[in-house]
């Protein structure tokens, strides 16, 4: 019964958010015929989490914001301190935010300044309640004194007259039921506040059932949108709120409460164990923090704005199936597990640790198996009939500036990549050297790269790792274009490509002595599992 209208509400709210300003989005969500859900947040981070979950708007809860500051919900945080938190929240999301403005922090004059400042900061609306400053949380004590109806109506009028965004929403909240004044008083107050200009009425209750809320809704007859906060009557089916014509449900404090439980459990575990072992994997990763706060955007901006060497990108060739029997039946070789992490995951974290900021994996065989945080993907859907160079060409749009090209099924120590990044030359391949000559500092130029060379003419083995400067990448593009024009993009392999490049441009060799392996056989895999 519930699921269809709920989905409609979500569909309804989302387009508005994209097309208009935040106040407009909140106003249309509250006025829409569908039930809208606002979810509590109390910080920039929790606001992002609410947005990612799919909610169309945020309830900036006074209780949660003050508690997250370690304070009571009694106006202990000043209104400008709350404003600062709201600023972080607004910056962190694109969602409309309905702020819990308590009593408006004083009389009509305080409400005027509050509304002006909220509008300046891109907040979509504010809810003020008919109590006295300093307020007390609705669930504390009994029969809290209410504001005079006319005085509170003046606060609403002053707020409406002060908003600089026409669509800014002012919600009037009556505490008449909470304070034990009954339905008639609640209706009287709600009507006065509506007449004073309130865009919606929040009717609050602390009963364990929704009966007084539903009775209120019935008598209210939808004179303007009704908002509810079912914290205490949480077991009421949401379908009843829809049937009653409620406009908006606020889930008022559940992110804060979830955080308290999770933090307490984690602290307890670590304290008891004197170790992180049990909690690691059960808590969000540090990478997840970076993703949530948008490190990738900063890295892109650094590449654009910071002077000096642009940060290298990497293309990981990961389209091939590889032939490791059952292990590669449902996933490509690069996704094989090596001590708890796939080959590709290990490679990606190594690339990231070396300062490679943009990583693109070319997928092919079982491409759905490759989805890693922070890794962009392009697809070579012809992986079965093409080779590495075709895969590389699939990522042509990503070949821009300094680039590392690497096979997805190799493991190596980080110092190898760091050495390659620091090496001179516009194109440099990393090779395991066969002789001691690599000890010379003199640059070594590549002549031919081929698996078919006689041993006497071979000085090393390419490890599947190469670096191109911005100039080298330009040459790489030119060569890919030529190969394509010749009609052999499908059949050319990486050694052939590097040999062609070496015939036209200086291609250098960066020798290593070990700490590298590629995974071609089950033997290699067992070596990889011992790789340290
Ligand atoms: C809040 O979230 O701060 C509210 C709702 O005002 S309640 O705590 O139910 O009063
Ligand atoms: Mg509150």
């Amino acid at each position: 019964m519930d699921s269809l209208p709920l989905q409609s509400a979500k569909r309804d709210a989302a387009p508005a958010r994209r097309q208009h300003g935040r106040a407009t989005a909140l106003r249309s969500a509250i006025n829409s015929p569908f039930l809208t859900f606002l979810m509590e947040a109390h910080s920039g981070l929790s606001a992002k989490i609410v947005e990612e979950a799919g909610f169309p708007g945020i309830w900036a809860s006074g209780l949660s914001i003050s508690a997250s500051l370690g304070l009571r919900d009694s106006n202990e945080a000043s209104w400008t301190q709350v404003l600062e938190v709201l600023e972080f929240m607004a910056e962190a999301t694109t969602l409309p935010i309905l702020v819990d403005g308590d009593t408006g922090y004083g009389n009509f004059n305080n409400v005027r300044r509050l509304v002006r400042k909220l509008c300046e900061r891109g907040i979509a609306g504010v809810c003020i309640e008919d109590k006295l400053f300093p307020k007390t949380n609705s669930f504390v004590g009994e029969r809290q004194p209410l504001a005079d109806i006319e005085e509170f109506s003046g606060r609403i009028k002053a707020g409406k007259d002060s908003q600089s965004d026409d669509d800014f929403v002012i919600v009037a909240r009556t505490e008449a039921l909470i304070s034990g004044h009954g339905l008639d008083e609640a209706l009287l107050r709600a009507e006065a506040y509506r007449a004073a200009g309130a865009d919606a009425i929040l009717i609050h209750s602390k009963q364990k059932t929704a009966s007084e809320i539903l009775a209120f809704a019935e008598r209210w007859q939808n004179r303007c949108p009704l908002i509810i906060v079912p914290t205490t009557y949480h077991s009421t089916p949401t379908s009843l709120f829809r049937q009653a014509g409620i406009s908006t449900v606020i889930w008022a404090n559940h992110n804060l409460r979830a955080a308290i439980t999770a933090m307490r459990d984690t602290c307890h575990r670590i304290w008891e164990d004197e170790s992180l072992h049990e909690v690691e994997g059960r808590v969000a990763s540090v990478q997840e923090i970076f993703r949530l706060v948008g490190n990738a955007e900063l890295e892109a901006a650094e590449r654009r704005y910071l002077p000096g060497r642009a940060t290298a990108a990497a293309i990981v060739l990961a389209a091939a199936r590889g032939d490791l029997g059952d292990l590669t039946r449902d996933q490509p070789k690069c996704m094989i597990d090596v001590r708890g992490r796939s080959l590709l995951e290990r490679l990606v974290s190594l690339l990231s640790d070396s300062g490679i900021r943009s990583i693109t994996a070319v997928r092919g065989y079982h491409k759905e198996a490759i989805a890693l945080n922070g890794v962009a993907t392009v697809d070579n859907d012809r992986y079965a009939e093409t080779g590495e160079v075709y895969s590389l060409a699939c990522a042509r749009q990503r070949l821009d500036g300094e680039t590392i090209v690497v096979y997805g099924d190799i493991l190596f120590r980080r110092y190898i990549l760091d050495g390659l990044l620091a090496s001179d030359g516009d194109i440099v391949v990393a090779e395991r050297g066969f002789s001691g000559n690599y000890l010379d500092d003199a640059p070594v130029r590549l002549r031919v790269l081929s698996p078919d060379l006689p041993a006497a003419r071979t000085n090393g083995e390419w490890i599947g790792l190469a670096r191109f400067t911005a100039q080298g990448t330009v040459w790489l593009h030119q060569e890919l274009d030529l190969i394509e024009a010749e009609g052999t993009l499908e059949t050319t392999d990486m050694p052939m490509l590097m040999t062609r490049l070496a015939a036209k441009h200086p291609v250098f060799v960066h020798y290593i002595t070990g700490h590298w392996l590629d995974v071609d056989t089950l033997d290699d895999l067992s070596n990889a599992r011992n790789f340290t």
Side-chain angles (χ1 to χ4, degrees), residues 514-528:
H515 292 145
W516 153 78
L517 60 85
D518 61 358
V519 178
D520 285 332
T521 63
L522 289 174
D523 250 10
D524 291 337
L525 184 61
S526 81
N527 286 339

Side-chain angles (χ1 to χ4, degrees), residues 59-64 73 100-102 129 135-138 173:
W59 168 247
S61 154
L63 170 68
S64 299
D73 188 15
D100 176 1
D102 293 343
E129 62 198 53
K135 58 81 52 93
T136 306
N137 184 272
S138 305
R173 159 172 164 178

Side-chain angles (χ1 to χ4, degrees), residues 153-429:
S153 299
R155 284 188 235 170
I156 296 166
K157 278 191 199 124
K160 289 308 293 177
D161 289 344
S162 308
Q163 64 189 55
S164 56
D165 181 331
D166 284 347
D167 283 335
F168 186 80
V169 173
I170 296 194
V171 177
R173 159 172 164 178
T174 180
E175 295 277 293
L177 298 178
I178 297 249
S179 291
H181 293 281
L183 210 49
D184 288 340
E185 176 75 12
L187 284 159
L188 181 77
R189 284 176 173 266
E191 176 51 26
Y193 305 157
R194 189 199 62 79
D199 298 296
I201 298 294
L202 191 157
I203 178 71
H204 205 6
S205 164
K206 60 177 179 180
Q207 287 190 353
K208 288 204 160 49
T209 72
S211 54
E212 64 179 7
I213 289 296
L214 297 176
F216 181 96
E218 195 175 337
R219 289 185 55 192
W220 181 247
Q221 288 293 304
N222 228 351
R223 276 178 265 172
C224 74
L226 270 192
I227 302 180
I228 60 170
V229 184
T231 304
T232 53
Y233 47 101
H234 49 78
S235 52
T236 308
T238 299
S239 54
L240 288 190
F241 303 145
R242 283 202 179 85
Q243 280 162 25
I246 302 295
S247 140
T248 301
V249 168
I250 292 175
W251 311 120
N253 45 43
H254 299 78
N255 271 326
L256 183 84
R257 288 161 63 189
I260 291 171
T261 306
M263 288 191 282
R264 192 171 274 148
D265 288 352
T266 304
C267 279
H268 178 74
R269 197 65 278 144
I270 295 174
W271 170 253
E272 289 290 319
D273 295 353
E274 296 185 345
S275 159
L276 301 176
H277 183 68
E278 273 297 313
V279 302
E280 196 56 51
R282 288 207 258 148
V283 294
S285 67
V286 174
Q287 290 303 319
E288 175 60 2
I289 303 174
F290 294 159
R291 188 195 67 76
L292 273 166
V293 298
N295 276 31
E297 189 281 333
L298 176 59
E299 284 152 13
E302 282 171 352
R303 278 197 294 282
R304 183 174 305 161
Y305 300 121
L306 278 183
R309 207 174 122 127
T311 316
I315 307 287
V316 181
L317 302 176
R321 170 183 181 162
D323 191 7
L324 290 176
D326 273 1
L327 287 173
T328 48
R329 201 183 46 228
D330 300 326
Q331 60 181 7
K333 190 164 51 165
C334 64
M335 293 309 288
I336 288 176
D337 181 272
V338 177
R339 281 196 278 136
R341 291 163 82 202
S342 66
L343 276 168
L344 185 60
E345 246 177 293
R346 288 181 175 276
L347 184 57
V348 163
S349 66
L350 186 141
L351 290 165
S352 304
D353 290 349
S354 284
I356 306 289
R357 292 301 170 217
S358 136
I359 303 171
T360 303
V362 184
R363 311 183 299 182
Y365 179 73
H366 272 294
K367 62 184 178 186
E368 74 289 346
I370 297 184
L372 288 183
N373 274 343
V375 177
T377 55
V378 297
D379 295 339
N380 172 7
D381 289 324
R382 296 181 58 205
Y383 65 90
E385 75 222 48
T386 61
E388 305 145 350
V389 170
Y390 191 87
S391 285
L392 183 59
C394 289
R396 246 188 284 200
Q397 284 191 329
R398 309 261 172 171
L399 283 172
D400 182 24
E402 186 183 14
T403 305
I404 295 289
V405 175
V406 57
Y407 288 163
D409 59 352
I410 67 173
L411 278 182
F412 50 88
R413 289 275 190 85
R414 178 175 154 185
Y415 76 87
I416 292 174
L417 181 58
D418 291 341
L420 185 69
L421 282 166
S423 63
D424 290 329
D426 287 315
I427 305 179
V428 187
V429 293

